[in-house]
Amino acid sequence: MVSQARKSELLFSGSDWDFNKLSRVYDEIEAIGREELRLDIYPVQMEIISSEQMLDAYSSIGMPLMYRHWSFGKRFLHDELLYRKGARGLAYEIVINSNPCIVYLMEENTMALQALVTAHAALGHNHFFKNNHLFRQWTDAGGILSYLDFAKSYIARCEERHGLAAVEAILDSAHALMEQGVFRYRRPPKLSSEQQREGLRERLEYEERSFNDLWRTLPPSPGKSKLEAGDEILAERKKSLNLPEENLLYFLEKNSLVLEPWQREIVRIVRVIAQYFYPQRQTQVMNEGCATFVHYTLMNTLFDRGRIGEGAMLEILRNHSNVIFQPAYDDPRFSGINPYALGLDMMQDIQRISTAPTAEDRDWFPDIAGRGDWRDTLLDAWANHRDESFIRQYLSPTLIRKWRLFVLADGADEPHYEVASIHNERGYARIRSALAQSYDIGASRPDIQVVDVDLLGDRHLRLQHKVKDGVMLEAQGRDATLRHIRNLWGYDVSLAAIDAGTGAMLSERSTKEL
């Protein structure tokens, strides 16, 4: 039996929640988070939603405001069907990278579960969103909600003025290119107004010189071959258009000659939303690992201080175990590495290495082993790494053995797998590098860039796909995407597959052939 004195110290008892309990729990875990983990968070706005509202949030990629598109309704019906049949559960919460940070909690959650997900989302994810360099570089947490409100109302006005079909056609094509509609690297700084005027003057002079097609028939300058003169024109054209360009949506938005202003704005809206989500694709292990580590630490601290009871803690641990469950490779439920489990294990391993290292740890991590400042190490990792670099720097031999990780050589022409890296000094390094490489989306996503277009000629848009390890694009998806690009560009589009290692041409596909 819980004593009366102990019971009076508890933040809550029983499974029912109310807003006073939620507020009391949040205040307590925020204080512990700032004190114990030195978390730095945005102000928090918590909202309680129903299961149907959660399904609706799923369909609109988790955003509180979103324009209308048929794909969102299709996603809603698909998720609702699976949920009603019991084939899929719903997330306990959704958190928005915004300022203030919006956290949606399911009304069906018990009070213990509300406490757990509040620590997970309102403290863990919130800190990561605010402090990680990718989110700071690529997202505007303070402006995203107002921008989504603008986007929703703008597209609604376009539907009224231009018709649903016309707007849907642009959205379909823009959505098809979202994966290739992001900047993967920081852009050069913007030019000053004086530099912009000078560049505009030079560009106008160049266009005046090259406007007449007869100019191209003139013999090359003395001392230059026709080929060299052509190369100079091509180089000048690429320089004026800033080619090659990896962001297809950006290029089409800025250079398409057939898009009307309202269509360009819709393309830009889709591009901005794609860029907003880009950091989340690069930090799933770190983001979920950080939130899981935070909620586990805070919940245990609350229990140690007598602020939550044993029954609530058992429920919390059961839900925590479900979140970090990692099926074995031969389990029917296996779908890859659970980012919650890997992230939590790596962060707890950093804590162990900092406080109780082995001789092996001192060899592999001389900068942090035995220093005791695991909080500083984690705060630095959360701020300055993405999944690929975090694994490459902090995955230890201890965890490699615990997870039973190996590298398999799986040549397409070989009848059997070969274990290429095992648990020895050289194998650990190769396993860590291979796992890190698998989380580098720059290496795993197709590298497709705009490489040339003659705006004063045939306006044929030429794209190039750098093929790595012989992995070509799936033909049906490639052709469908080329049609969407042509819809936005208005002229012929071709895609050349180039071997990334040798530069040899492997294939070429044009919209003329479709």
Side-chain angles (χ1 to χ4, degrees):
M1 295 291 291
V2 178
S3 69
Q4 193 65 31
R6 172 72 185 275
K7 192 172 182 179
S8 64
E9 296 174 357
L10 298 179
L11 292 170
F12 59 88
S13 60
S15 60
D16 294 336
W17 61 267
D18 58 47
F19 289 102
N20 288 332
K21 291 179 181 178
L22 289 177
S23 178
R24 194 160 59 243
V25 166
Y26 174 78
D27 291 341
E28 187 83 10
I29 64 172
E30 181 188 12
I32 296 174
R34 294 184 185 275
E35 170 192 341
E36 294 291 324
L37 298 177
R38 300 202 292 272
L39 300 180
D40 176 26
I41 62 174
Y42 292 124
V44 175
Q45 176 181 328
M46 290 192 291
E47 299 186 11
I48 308 298
I49 62 175
S50 65
S51 58
E52 185 161 334
Q53 289 172 315
M54 182 66 78
L55 286 166
D56 187 54
Y58 277 11
S59 67
S60 58
I61 52 180
M63 303 307 293
L65 294 167
M66 204 63 183
Y67 53 81
R68 296 188 302 180
H69 188 249
W70 62 266
S71 63
F72 302 148
K74 179 181 177 182
R75 173 73 184 273
F76 178 87
L77 292 174
H78 176 261
D79 290 340
E80 183 186 37
L81 178 64
L82 293 178
Y83 175 66
R84 301 301 178 199
K85 287 186 173 182
R88 177 182 298 175
L90 296 180
Y92 300 135
E93 44 74 28
I94 287 182
V95 57
I96 309 299
N97 171 28
S98 60
N99 184 11
C101 180
I102 299 177
V103 178
Y104 292 116
L105 304 178
M106 285 270 285
E107 65 179 1
E108 290 88 349
N109 294 347
T110 65
M111 186 58 223
L113 188 51
Q114 300 288 36
L116 173 67
V117 297
T118 298
H120 182 92
L123 276 293
H125 282 309
N126 192 349
H127 172 89
F128 194 84
F129 286 147
K130 185 176 181 181
N131 294 277
N132 182 263
H133 76 285
L134 287 172
F135 289 91
R136 294 170 65 91
Q137 175 181 335
W138 292 117
T139 64
D140 177 14
I144 185 62
L145 295 180
S146 59
Y147 185 79
L148 288 174
D149 184 44
F150 154 75
K152 182 177 181 179
S153 59
Y154 183 84
I155 290 179
R157 292 198 302 272
C158 289
E159 290 173 341
E160 293 175 359
R161 180 174 298 179
H162 304 286
L164 291 174
V167 173
E168 187 176 282
I170 295 297
L171 283 174
D172 286 350
S173 296
H175 279 198
L177 298 174
M178 285 185 81
E179 287 288 328
Q180 302 298 326
V182 297
F183 294 114
R184 291 180 171 84
Y185 307 100
R186 182 182 291 274
R187 303 285 291 179
K190 290 185 178 180
L191 300 176
S192 65
S193 57
E194 183 178 344
Q195 291 172 319
Q196 289 177 347
R197 286 194 297 271
E198 179 65 18
L200 178 61
R201 183 186 63 79
E202 293 177 355
R203 188 161 61 252
L204 289 173
E205 289 180 355
Y206 168 74
E207 290 176 353
E208 289 175 1
R209 291 197 307 270
S210 58
F211 179 74
N212 195 329
D213 280 353
L214 292 177
W215 179 82
R216 305 182 190 191
T217 66
L218 295 176
S221 303
K224 293 184 180 179
S225 68
K226 189 172 182 179
L227 181 61
E228 290 174 332
D231 289 343
E232 286 189 2
I233 294 174
L234 177 61
E236 183 65 27
R237 186 164 70 224
K238 288 187 175 183
K239 181 180 179 181
S240 67
L241 292 173
N242 197 26
L243 298 180
E245 175 58 69
E246 64 176 351
N247 191 329
L248 300 189
L249 284 180
Y250 176 81
F251 181 86
L252 293 169
E253 172 201 338
K254 299 299 181 183
N255 297 287
S256 175
L257 301 176
V258 300
L259 291 181
E260 297 182 23
W262 66 272
Q263 295 171 318
R264 292 184 198 278
E265 189 61 42
I266 290 178
V267 172
R268 183 175 186 276
I269 287 170
V270 175
R271 176 175 66 82
V272 169
I273 292 174
Q275 193 71 60
Y276 171 85
F277 284 104
Y278 180 60
Q280 298 190 28
R281 299 207 302 270
Q282 297 187 83
T283 57
Q284 190 176 14
V285 170
M286 289 203 68
N287 200 344
E288 298 298 354
C290 169
T292 306
F293 179 88
V294 167
H295 86 230
Y296 184 76
T297 303
L298 295 183
M299 291 299 101
N300 277 281
T301 303
L302 283 178
F303 180 71
D304 292 341
R305 295 184 179 183
R307 304 296 283 159
I308 56 177
E310 293 177 351
M313 192 63 191
L314 283 173
E315 181 181 349
I316 287 169
L317 290 175
R318 180 177 62 83
N319 284 289
H320 169 78
S321 299
N322 291 338
V323 166
I324 65 170
F325 174 64
Q326 174 62 60
Y329 76 95
D330 56 352
D331 190 305
R333 295 166 293 180
F334 179 79
S335 60
I337 292 178
N338 182 348
Y340 295 82
L342 180 61
L344 175 64
D345 269 4
M346 289 189 64
M347 290 165 195
Q348 289 183 330
D349 200 47
I350 289 173
Q351 191 177 29
R352 179 193 62 80
I353 293 169
S354 299
T355 55
T358 63
E360 182 183 56
D361 295 325
R362 294 185 185 277
D363 289 339
W364 280 76
F365 306 100
D367 294 337
I368 66 173
R371 297 290 179 89
D373 54 351
W374 58 270
R375 291 175 181 82
D376 290 336
T377 303
L378 284 178
L379 289 172
D380 177 74
W382 293 339
N384 297 307
H385 287 277
R386 55 178 181 164
D387 289 346
E388 179 266 336
S389 61
F390 180 64
I391 293 171
R392 196 177 297 277
Q393 181 158 333
Y394 289 110
L395 184 65
S396 70
T398 300
L399 275 188
I400 291 175
R401 291 191 295 269
K402 175 184 175 181
W403 280 71
R404 298 182 178 90
L405 299 175
F406 298 90
V407 172
L408 297 178
D410 57 344
D413 55 346
E414 296 294 332
H416 305 289
Y417 287 112
E418 176 187 350
V419 179
S421 297
I422 60 173
H423 292 172
N424 57 24
E425 192 75 13
R426 181 178 298 177
Y428 291 137
R430 289 180 176 174
I431 292 168
R432 181 164 71 175
S433 178
L435 183 61
Q437 188 72 10
S438 71
Y439 283 94
D440 184 359
I441 65 173
S444 60
R445 302 294 169 90
D447 181 6
I448 300 174
Q449 300 183 17
V450 180
V451 294
D452 188 28
V453 60
D454 186 356
L455 293 178
L456 301 175
D458 60 6
R459 299 172 181 171
H460 187 141
L461 183 65
R462 289 175 169 81
L463 309 178
Q464 189 177 92
H465 171 217
K466 291 186 178 180
V467 178
K468 300 175 183 176
D469 301 324
V471 180
M472 302 287 286
L473 298 176
E474 189 272 326
Q476 185 177 359
R478 175 202 62 196
D479 292 348
T481 304
L482 283 176
R483 293 189 190 95
H484 283 297
I485 297 174
R486 194 191 187 289
N487 182 43
L488 297 176
W489 179 245
Y491 300 92
D492 286 325
V493 180
S494 62
L495 174 64
I498 307 295
D499 187 278
T502 65
M505 171 81 78
L506 301 177
S507 67
E508 186 171 14
R509 186 70 164 170
S510 172
T511 52
K512 293 179 180 179
E513 305 165 9
L514 302 179

